[in-house]
Amino acid sequence: MASPFSAPQSDRAVLLKAFDEARTGVRGLVESGVSSVPALFVHPDPYASAPLAPPGVSIPVVDLSLPAPLAAAAAAEAARSWGFFHLVNHHHQALGVPEDYPTRALAAVRAFNELPATERAAHYGRAMDGGVSYFSNFDLFRAPAASWRDTVQIAFGPARPDLARIPAVCRDEVVEWDAHATAVGRVVLGLLSEGLGLAPTRLEEASCLEGKAMVCHYYPVCPEPERTMGVVSHTDPGVLTVLAQDGVGGLQVKQIDDDGGSHWVDVKPVPSALVINVGDLLQIMSNDKYKSVDHRVIMNTRKEARVSIAIFFNPGKRGDSDLYGPLPELVSSDSPPKYRNFTMPEFLGAFFRRDLASRALSDHFKL
């Protein structure tokens, strides 16, 4: 069946508006029977930027069942060398994460995205009314090509959302996962604080757990996965990301070699593991001791849709007098600050004025 979104690029603005006003997202294209990727979603040579890593290369694993000093050392080394790691054994009793989470939350997000189009459309909109929105591509009107995904986004902090606006089919599950993922985030921030030689509570005291955005991505089945992207290469802007993903896969992390060469490393789903990554703001606060690295999602969904839930942790204190930059304890004559101070409104403003694939936010604040 021909797609109404496959006309020449000269009509791009009209097509983008029509796609958005259909209110059914990329899933709606699939439901309409598209047999090829519409022009709006075609990325020129989407996988030509760097080669894949050799088989067997993978991001590190941090095991929360290890004694705390060993877990902190492992997390810090992973944050310094990779910016990413798998987190395992987060279900142990001290954290209280049930064995069926995040699996239940992922299944609930899938259930919402696979509701009939008319039911999904009732929730569609770009405004964060009540702290909740359902849309396709937050940078749809700025990016050179749209990506093959739909999103439910929920702002869980600093202000709590209007829970009634979260789709009922996934409401209880995502609210519960927010609580459990926050407990995980608290532990990981403690380990990373210790890895910087600071008190375990240092990053939490800087309000780094108080700002929370949950982003539930759904990557529909794709007729031509080699012609589009799930998420373009980017770095995360915040402090820390806690990611839950199903078993479909597609996440890749860029690793830079000592000689300056780069390759993409598959982050293959590990049963019961979460994926943790450093954001631009933590790279800045650590004065480059930790690094925020490029990552992307390739389309791996010819037969089955992919679901992931990312929670982005950011500072909650956002007044004009609340300044962020390298932590004072990490700055000295031997290690001068590499970034200037800024407020969170300035930082977030820089993020929302760009498309996702733009240069890392940390570059905006370099001295």
Side-chain angles (χ1 to χ4, degrees), residues 205-229:
E205 289 169 353
S207 78
C208 290
L209 281 176
E210 295 176 13
K212 294 185 291 181
M214 176 184 286
V215 176
C216 307
H217 287 321
Y218 179 85
Y219 305 85
V221 171
C222 183
E224 296 178 302
E226 69 282 356
R227 300 187 69 204
T228 189
M229 296 287 293

Side-chain angles (χ1 to χ4, degrees), residues 126-320:
R126 296 188 173 273
M128 287 289 288
D129 293 336
V132 182
S133 60
Y134 162 57
F135 56 91
S136 184
N137 288 254
F138 86 93
D139 57 351
L140 181 69
F141 297 98
R142 299 190 301 276
S147 294
W148 199 259
R149 71 178 187 277
D150 299 325
T151 301
V152 175
Q153 181 168 316
I154 308 165
F156 277 105
R160 294 292 288 177
D162 178 355
L163 299 183
R165 290 187 173 273
I166 302 173
V169 70
C170 61
R171 182 182 303 144
D172 292 345
E173 291 83 359
V174 297
V175 170
E176 185 166 353
W177 178 236
D178 166 65
H180 297 315
T182 301
V184 171
R186 178 171 289 108
V187 169
V188 173
L189 278 184
L191 296 177
L192 294 175
S193 292
E194 289 187 74
L196 293 170
L198 306 175
T201 56
R202 180 62 178 92
L203 289 169
E204 185 172 356
E205 289 169 353
S207 78
C208 290
L209 281 176
E210 295 176 13
K212 294 185 291 181
M214 176 184 286
V215 176
C216 307
H217 287 321
Y218 179 85
Y219 305 85
V221 171
C222 183
E224 296 178 302
E226 69 282 356
R227 300 187 69 204
T228 189
M229 296 287 293
V231 181
V232 295
S233 178
H234 68 286
T235 60
D236 288 349
V239 173
L240 190 76
T241 304
V242 175
L243 175 75
Q245 60 174 340
D246 64 13
V248 173
L251 176 63
Q252 294 182 333
V253 172
K254 182 179 279 189
Q255 186 184 41
I256 308 296
D257 301 327
D258 293 338
D259 61 3
S262 63
H263 51 253
W264 289 103
V265 176
D266 282 318
V267 182
K268 294 182 178 178
V270 173
S272 300
L274 299 173
V275 178
I276 307 294
N277 67 279
V278 172
D280 294 341
L281 191 48
L282 183 52
Q283 176 172 320
I284 292 170
M285 295 175 78
S286 72
N287 208 29
D288 279 355
K289 289 179 172 61
Y290 295 152
K291 64 180 181 180
S292 175
V293 301
D294 285 300
H295 51 288
R296 67 186 187 182
V297 176
I298 65 169
M299 290 312 301
N300 193 28
T301 60
R302 192 181 291 274
K303 295 182 179 179
E304 182 181 0
R306 177 180 186 260
V307 178
S308 68
I309 304 175
I311 299 186
F312 302 103
F313 290 97
N314 296 281
K317 294 179 179 177
R318 301 181 178 182
D320 291 340

Side-chain angles (χ1 to χ4, degrees), residues 81-162:
S81 59
W82 282 82
F84 266 80
F85 55 88
H86 276 122
L87 188 75
V88 299
N89 287 320
H90 54 281
H91 291 104
H92 66 71
Q93 187 172 2
L95 277 178
V97 180
E99 291 289 342
D100 57 351
Y101 272 86
T103 303
R104 280 182 58 190
L106 290 166
V109 169
R110 180 183 295 275
F112 167 72
N113 282 279
E114 295 177 358
L115 287 173
T118 53
E119 294 184 43
R120 297 197 315 277
H123 295 275
Y124 195 94
R126 296 188 173 273
M128 287 289 288
D129 293 336
V132 182
S133 60
Y134 162 57
F135 56 91
S136 184
N137 288 254
F138 86 93
D139 57 351
L140 181 69
F141 297 98
R142 299 190 301 276
S147 294
W148 199 259
R149 71 178 187 277
D150 299 325
T151 301
V152 175
Q153 181 168 316
I154 308 165
F156 277 105
R160 294 292 288 177
D162 178 355

Side-chain angles (χ1 to χ4, degrees), residues 323-337:
L323 296 177
Y324 297 90
L327 294 172
E329 304 96 311
L330 303 180
V331 173
S332 66
S333 57
D334 295 328
S335 180

